[in-house]
Amino acid sequence: MENALELNEKKFTGKKTSVILFIACFLTYACAYIARGNYSIVINDMKTKGIINDNIAGLISGIYFAFYALGQFTNGLIADKKNPFYMVLIGIAIIILSNVAMTVFYKPSFLLVVWWGLNGVGQSMLWTPIFSIIGTALNPDMKFTFLTVIALATPVGKLSGYFVSGLALDLGGKIWKSVFYAAALIMLVVLAFWLTTFLSVKKKLVFVQKKEKKEEERKGGLWQALVLSGTAILLPSLIVHGLFLNGAVEWVPTIIQNNYGVSKSVSSYVMMIIPAIGTLGVLFGNFLYKKFGKDEIKCSVLVMEMSLLFVAILFAMSFSSGNLLGKIPECILFVLIFGLMYTVQLSFNHLMISLFPMKFAGLGLAASVSGLLNAVNYGGSAISTYGMSFIVDNYVVLFAIWAATLVIAIVSLILSKKKVREFSKNNQGV
């Protein structure tokens, strides 16, 4: 009883406890990428073996992102009101079951759409609860550091995912099922680690109280906040962002396997280049954030302009198909240039999905806004990953669409600038 009273008198969670819980958050979110990027590595193999056709292949990814997007929004709303720790626990369990189901119940092939859609549901139960934990349960003096490091979980997770998938294929006799078995096993370990960590620190946590809302804020809620802050205007840029950060990268292994003749395990290892250099994206985002006076919009416009340049380079490279420098060197160069685009897009992700939503923390809407922005982001991923299944071999059309969408993103960001700046004057964030 005495210990409980002491805990209640604490203003914030201790820094040591915060670090321990954050490590669990980081590892959970990073490892989850192993159980979501594995499918992209074996798409070609599953098509070759007649497990799936082109339509089902695109539908599996499209439904995954659609369910993930919907889940991001709904779980964002839930995470601001309910216990986020149990949400993560349930999410991990669903991820494990869905990966196992992919290897057992795959006939008829449409069942794979169901299982991977279920995986999207489980994956969507991780980000917003973890974001809520960082914003409300961990020591606020460490918040900016935690937001920076958790953003690194995306490239670290993807890099680990490509490595694990490649290793699973090599050790599992090149069998496509091996990537799903490996992911399920790793997530089972993560489940035990998350539960153990939570039980060991839960009595030491002190949750930050929300600010008292003004009358107009209570009436308007989330939707009014989105309109008044200018967030509603910049949503198209999030759709475009989803195309590049998650949608397009799903098909890069297929592009390099078809265009440069590399095997699926080699493509998996080569794909490690993208998240490896992508880790610099978060640091680049922080650099821009500080350089431009915490103006996320100005930073994001620059990022989209840089992406447009990289698309132009990729388009020029598509005319060679390995005839200029050789198959493998051009394959690596293609992935490297795409990796640079992925890196700056990761900066956008850090700016708009991690840092910007913290400006809504005082309204008790940080997880809701982050969840919504991520939902829109993955909505773009769902549209693009399904659509790309039909145009992935037509490079002229593919890169023309990429360039056009980037222009749309830039315009939407510029149009939102005035309202976002006005909102930011009274809501500083981190």
Side-chain angles (χ1 to χ4, degrees):
M1 188 69 178
E2 190 173 292
N3 289 338
L5 288 173
E6 287 177 5
L7 288 172
N8 289 336
E9 290 172 359
K10 289 182 180 179
K11 191 175 182 181
F12 302 119
T13 301
K15 292 187 176 181
K16 182 179 179 180
T17 300
S18 295
V19 170
I20 292 171
L21 183 52
F22 177 76
I23 291 172
C25 289
F26 181 89
L27 290 176
T28 298
Y29 193 61
C31 288
Y33 274 91
I34 297 172
R36 65 197 273 186
N38 47 357
Y39 167 67
S40 67
I41 297 300
V42 293
I43 291 176
N44 243 12
D45 193 37
M46 292 174 74
K47 286 164 61 177
T48 301
K49 288 182 168 58
I51 306 296
I52 55 177
N53 56 32
D54 287 341
N55 184 54
I56 293 294
L59 199 57
I60 291 172
S61 292
I63 291 297
Y64 167 85
F65 285 125
F67 276 51
Y68 186 92
L70 181 61
Q72 280 289 321
F73 176 56
T74 55
N75 289 319
L77 296 174
I78 296 170
D80 274 327
K81 299 175 182 178
K82 303 296 182 181
N83 191 317
F85 295 94
Y86 295 122
M87 293 177 67
V88 173
L89 197 64
I90 295 170
I92 297 171
I94 293 173
I95 291 168
I96 294 170
L97 291 174
S98 63
N99 270 267
V100 172
M102 290 287 284
T103 67
V104 180
F105 306 107
Y106 57 90
K107 292 181 181 180
S109 61
F110 188 78
L111 282 175
L112 296 172
V113 179
V114 177
W115 306 140
W116 215 234
L118 187 63
N119 188 36
V121 173
Q123 295 279 353
S124 74
M125 298 180 75
L126 302 185
W127 169 250
T128 49
I130 286 174
F131 189 82
S132 178
I133 290 169
I134 293 173
T136 62
L138 304 188
N139 194 290
D141 292 339
M142 309 172 78
K143 190 180 294 185
F144 184 81
T145 300
F146 286 151
L147 287 173
T148 298
V149 178
I150 198 64
L152 289 170
T154 296
V156 169
K158 287 190 175 183
L159 189 153
S160 302
Y162 292 133
F163 175 76
V164 169
S165 291
L167 191 62
L169 285 166
D170 284 338
L171 297 178
K174 308 297 181 183
I175 300 172
W176 63 270
K177 292 182 181 182
S178 60
V179 300
F180 299 107
Y181 285 132
L185 180 61
I186 288 171
M187 291 309 295
L188 187 61
V189 175
V190 169
L191 178 68
F193 181 67
W194 177 264
L195 184 58
T196 303
T197 303
F198 171 55
L199 292 176
S200 67
V201 304
K202 69 174 184 176
K203 292 183 179 179
K204 301 177 183 179
L205 299 177
V206 180
F207 289 86
V208 177
Q209 296 297 312
K210 302 171 187 175
K211 290 193 310 185
E212 183 64 29
K213 298 182 186 179
K214 298 177 183 178
E215 184 62 29
E216 61 269 23
E217 290 168 349
R218 275 198 293 268
K219 289 179 179 178
L222 175 62
W223 300 113
Q224 187 176 20
L226 294 174
V227 174
L228 294 177
S229 65
T231 307
I233 303 173
L234 60 80
L235 292 181
S237 69
L238 270 297
I239 296 175
V240 174
H241 170 62
L243 186 161
F244 292 105
L245 192 71
N246 301 295
V249 75
E250 282 279 301
W251 287 98
V252 171
T254 299
I255 291 174
I256 62 177
Q257 286 170 28
N258 290 342
N259 206 34
Y260 300 107
V262 298
S263 68
K264 55 183 181 294
S265 60
V266 170
S267 71
S268 183
Y269 293 130
V270 171
M271 284 293 291
M272 290 174 63
I273 294 173
I274 295 175
I277 61 176
T279 56
L280 299 175
V282 178
L283 302 179
F284 184 57
N286 278 347
F287 168 76
L288 294 177
Y289 188 65
K290 294 175 181 178
K291 181 177 177 61
F292 293 114
K294 299 184 177 181
D295 187 336
E296 297 95 341
I297 303 303
K298 183 181 288 187
C299 299
S300 297
V301 169
L302 177 60
V303 163
M304 290 299 179
E305 290 172 342
M306 293 175 70
S307 297
L308 194 57
L309 173 63
F310 292 131
V311 167
I313 296 173
L314 290 174
F315 177 64
M317 286 186 62
S318 68
F319 289 100
S320 174
S321 297
N323 294 321
L324 187 62
L325 302 176
K327 294 285 186 181
I328 297 300
E330 284 194 33
C331 172
I332 294 173
L333 183 60
F334 182 94
V335 174
L336 181 62
I337 298 301
F338 188 94
L340 291 173
M341 181 168 63
Y342 171 83
T343 299
V344 296
Q345 284 294 322
L346 194 60
S347 298
F348 179 93
N349 189 275
H350 180 49
L351 289 163
M352 298 307 301
I353 295 179
S354 296
L355 298 179
F356 180 64
M358 278 297 170
K359 291 182 176 179
F360 296 82
L363 306 178
L365 296 172
S368 296
V369 172
S370 183
L372 173 66
L373 296 182
N374 222 10
V376 175
N377 162 28
Y378 278 93
S381 300
I383 296 169
S384 66
T385 195
Y386 179 69
M388 280 185 62
S389 66
F390 300 100
I391 60 170
V392 70
D393 294 322
N394 192 332
Y395 296 128
V396 174
V397 174
L398 179 66
F399 292 120
I401 291 175
W402 284 8
T405 56
L406 285 167
V407 172
I408 292 171
I410 293 169
V411 171
S412 73
L413 287 166
I414 292 173
L415 291 176
S416 71
K417 186 181 297 185
K418 183 178 178 180
K419 282 195 171 186
V420 172
R421 283 180 175 173
E422 289 176 356
F423 177 76
S424 299
K425 289 177 183 178
N426 299 317
N427 300 273
Q428 296 298 318
V430 294

